[in-house]
Amino acid sequence: MRNVERSNDMLQTLLHNKVFLIVTTADLIQQMGIWIRNMALLFFVMDLTANDPVAVSLLTVLEYLPILLFSLVGGALADRWEPKRTMIMGDLLSAVSIACIILSMQAGYGKTIFVAVFISAMITQFSWPSSSVMFKRHIPEQQVTTAISISAALASLFVIIGPIIGTLIFTWLGIYASMTVLVILFLCSGAMQTALPKISHRTSYAAVTLIHQFKKSYSYLLNNKNLRVLVVGLTLLELGLGLIQPLEVYIVMDRLGLEKEAIQWLYGLYGTGMFAGGVLAARMIHKIQATNLTSTGFCVLALLILSEALSIWFLFTGSIRFMSGIVAAFLQIVIEAFLIRLTAERYIGIINGTISTFVITGTLLGSSVTGVLMKHTSLLFVYCLASGIVFAAGMYCRKLNLNNK
């Protein structure tokens, strides 16, 4: 009973926290934009290439390559720059870049649609670490886990409705309307963040070069056993997920015998699971050992990946996607809360960037080879391989000690 009352008090405090409300709402707006972009590009490329799996996997590579190239620098600069200004400028530059892409497409340069993915993902790497800085400074440490749980639960709602809205806009209005809506959403997000407070008295890096900052961050990372293990575990996890991410649409077509547009319903079920997982995590996370949850969660994901590939019934596949969402929500909340609570403020941006670099490397490696691998083997073989890699990540993460106490 006392734990319930404490959770309710934390929730009430967070709902009166201006920074939490603004950052969370802006993130939700961006999530909607990302889903509209992802669905429009997926269908656009598949129509353009007659459902070629190599082209679909290449789209995933183009989406994640900027994260690999710029996340480390973006994280380092987030520790140096004023976060409010960085977040606003990131949204404004994203809106302007996409508007320019629309104009170039209307002028007859249709392939510039791929440039939109690259630029949008690149700019994000300079703005999203600032959100973690805002949380670190303006949310009490004991409320961080609850804050992330609420944010994850709300974001999962857009995993439910985002694919549906994105599919409807593209199907009814086409690629230009999808990209225009994306511009509007980025502008709304930037306008909302003008109400954020400025962070003053931040650590000065004026006399410190970026190279020196990188060396300090790597030293900090190498001297922290949990961070080292987490980097390896997450990289293996993303390698496995990268193998299957571009191929999810082929589960719909080849295993379930449905049209490609039906993937929106699997995305929706996954988002429903994430919402349920976020709500459960907000209530239960303080009673669970993060170490056991992380390792077990990875192993459960491995089993779900294998089961999804074997299924030929939509209801069973949908149930698997729902359970995957629950597990993913728990893992996301535990890991993000751990990073924010236990990473020193002066390193939080660059540590996030460093971990993202390793993680996205795994995603890119998996996505780069999966199209060719599927052509020369089978969809089932690729999913079995991915399941084995994710299971190995779970076994390795048994070395973690992330107790919430």
Side-chain angles (χ1 to χ4, degrees):
M1 185 69 180
R2 187 173 300 174
N3 288 334
V4 173
E5 292 177 355
R6 185 176 64 178
S7 298
N8 290 334
D9 290 341
M10 287 186 180
L11 178 59
Q12 290 297 323
T13 303
L14 283 171
L15 292 178
H16 289 86
N17 188 310
K18 177 181 176 181
V19 170
F20 170 74
L21 292 176
I22 294 174
V23 172
T24 299
T25 304
D27 285 345
L28 295 179
I29 293 173
Q30 293 170 10
Q31 285 287 326
M32 174 60 76
I34 289 171
W35 274 111
I36 291 173
R37 181 198 71 187
N38 289 349
M39 301 307 294
L41 290 176
L42 174 63
F43 297 145
F44 180 77
V45 170
M46 293 189 74
D47 289 343
L48 200 64
T49 63
N51 301 334
D52 185 359
V54 176
V56 175
S57 65
L58 178 60
L59 179 64
T60 304
V61 171
L62 289 174
E63 184 178 342
Y64 283 97
L65 182 60
I67 306 176
L68 174 63
L69 297 177
F70 299 105
S71 61
L72 184 57
V73 176
L77 294 177
D79 292 327
R80 292 168 171 257
W81 293 346
E82 205 282 314
K84 174 183 176 180
R85 186 184 301 113
T86 305
M87 294 163 72
I88 294 172
M89 288 303 300
D91 286 340
L92 291 179
L93 289 173
S94 292
V96 170
S97 65
I98 295 170
C100 292
I101 297 298
I102 294 174
L103 293 176
S104 65
M105 290 178 65
Q106 290 177 337
Y109 300 99
K111 292 183 179 179
T112 54
I113 188 69
F114 297 102
V115 182
V117 183
F118 187 90
I119 294 177
S120 178
M122 177 186 70
I123 294 174
T124 302
Q125 302 318 302
F126 293 90
S127 59
W128 76 263
S130 298
S131 299
S132 296
V133 175
M134 280 287 185
F135 267 36
K136 181 73 174 181
R137 174 58 65 93
H138 291 283
I139 296 179
E141 181 176 317
Q142 66 272 20
Q143 297 178 7
V144 167
T145 302
T146 303
I148 294 176
S149 300
I150 295 172
S151 296
L154 292 174
S156 65
L157 292 176
F158 287 84
V159 181
I160 302 171
I161 64 175
I164 298 173
I165 294 176
T167 300
L168 290 176
I169 293 175
F170 179 81
T171 303
W172 290 353
L173 302 175
I175 191 67
Y176 293 118
S178 299
M179 302 304 289
T180 301
V181 170
L182 188 56
V183 172
I184 294 171
L185 291 175
F186 273 119
L187 290 175
C188 290
S189 175
M192 177 171 296
Q193 290 173 127
T194 58
L196 285 171
K198 290 184 177 181
I199 290 184
S200 57
H201 307 299
R202 287 178 56 76
T203 304
S204 174
Y205 287 93
V208 180
T209 64
L210 277 177
I211 298 299
H212 180 70
Q213 191 178 351
F214 291 150
K215 290 180 179 179
K216 291 282 288 184
S217 70
Y218 276 112
S219 176
Y220 183 85
L221 180 64
L222 292 173
N223 289 326
N224 188 311
K225 178 185 175 181
N226 281 323
L227 288 177
R228 294 198 312 269
V229 174
L230 199 59
V231 166
V232 176
L234 287 175
T235 302
L236 286 173
L237 173 69
E238 291 301 324
L239 174 62
L241 296 180
L243 283 170
I244 63 174
Q245 182 173 334
L247 304 183
E248 290 176 345
V249 69
Y250 297 99
I251 289 288
V252 172
M253 296 188 299
D254 296 350
R255 299 296 295 173
L256 303 179
L258 303 174
E259 296 295 326
K260 64 180 182 295
E261 288 79 9
I263 193 175
Q264 62 182 297
W265 307 118
L266 291 185
Y267 282 143
L269 288 168
Y270 181 81
T272 305
M274 288 195 69
F275 178 75
V279 173
L280 289 173
R283 293 289 184 179
M284 299 172 54
I285 203 70
H286 298 288
K287 304 176 183 178
I288 302 174
Q289 283 193 332
T291 301
N292 297 336
L293 180 60
T294 303
S295 179
T296 304
F298 282 19
C299 294
V300 172
L301 275 180
L303 177 61
L304 292 173
I305 290 170
L306 180 61
S307 300
E308 183 177 353
L310 295 174
S311 172
I312 57 174
W313 298 290
F314 179 83
L315 289 178
F316 185 61
T317 303
S319 300
I320 292 171
R321 296 294 291 171
F322 177 78
M323 289 186 287
S324 297
I326 293 176
V327 176
F330 267 89
L331 288 174
Q332 177 185 348
I333 290 163
V334 168
I335 293 171
E336 287 188 14
F338 165 71
L339 289 175
I340 291 178
R341 284 192 296 110
L342 300 185
T343 303
E345 183 182 339
R346 65 174 293 154
Y347 292 113
I348 194 166
I350 195 168
I351 289 298
N352 270 282
T354 302
I355 291 176
S356 293
T357 300
F358 285 102
V359 166
I360 295 304
T361 298
T363 303
L364 280 174
L365 286 174
S367 299
S368 299
V369 303
T370 190
V372 176
L373 194 59
M374 176 181 164
K375 274 193 169 184
H376 288 83
T377 57
S378 67
L379 182 65
L380 183 59
F381 174 83
V382 176
Y383 266 74
C384 290
L385 177 61
S387 177
I389 294 173
V390 174
F391 183 79
M395 290 294 98
Y396 186 81
C397 284
R398 294 177 66 185
K399 298 180 180 180
L400 285 169
N401 182 18
L402 311 183
N403 291 331
N404 290 332
K405 296 180 180 181

